Amino acid sequence: MIGDWVYVHEPECRGHQIDYICLMDEEVGADGELYSPDDLRPIPLTMELLERNGLYQLYTDFYDLDMFEFNDGLFRAVYSNCEFSDIPDQSVLISYVHELQHFLNHLLINKEIEL
């Protein structure tokens, strides 16, 4: 998805943010360069990254978002709507930064992730 953070080629390289996707030519653009989707690698989610971005516990007047380390490298994200009690909590398991970005997007939480 455009805006996703990924590694290009090897994890030793810094992360790149996807800014272009062309399905016909099977190209993905990141930071002004074009890559094959095979060159992309997911960025593992860490507790340090969650804390640095203020996502370990995010409480607002409208919702609560809690992240728990479920297993080594696997996190459970729990979203609770505080405005409407008839909306059930949502919970997903997340291992990678782009999965967290997709979940936040699904919840309409506009939070920029910084590596």
Side-chain angles (χ1 to χ4, degrees):
M1 186 167 89
I2 292 178
D4 283 358
W5 282 103
V6 295
Y7 287 131
V8 177
H9 300 295
E10 297 299 324
E12 295 81 36
C13 301
R14 68 179 181 85
H16 294 272
Q17 201 164 20
I18 301 295
D19 53 24
Y20 170 85
I21 298 173
C22 180
L23 297 177
M24 290 182 66
D25 297 331
E26 294 186 12
E27 295 176 330
V28 176
D31 297 333
E33 299 288 327
L34 293 178
Y35 302 98
S36 164
D38 295 334
D39 294 334
L40 306 181
R41 303 286 178 264
I43 298 175
L45 193 59
T46 64
M47 187 59 74
E48 293 80 23
L49 193 133
L50 289 171
E51 290 172 351
R52 187 177 26 214
N53 285 278
L55 290 169
Y56 178 63
Q57 292 179 327
L58 181 60
Y59 299 141
T60 72
D61 291 340
F62 307 107
Y63 61 84
D64 293 341
L65 179 67
D66 291 297
M67 300 287 294
F68 305 98
E69 189 158 16
F70 184 70
N71 202 345
D72 195 29
L74 183 64
F75 294 84
R76 179 174 297 281
V78 179
Y79 170 85
S80 302
N81 189 310
C82 299
E83 281 194 300
F84 302 102
S85 60
D86 60 338
I87 296 177
D89 291 352
Q90 296 185 43
S91 176
V92 296
L93 294 175
I94 298 174
S95 296
Y96 299 106
V97 172
H98 75 278
E99 293 173 337
L100 175 60
Q101 289 178 284
H102 291 207
F103 186 59
L104 293 175
N105 186 47
H106 164 73
L107 298 171
L108 303 177
I109 297 175
N110 188 16
K111 178 77 171 141
E112 191 69 31
I113 305 289
E114 306 227 354
L115 300 181

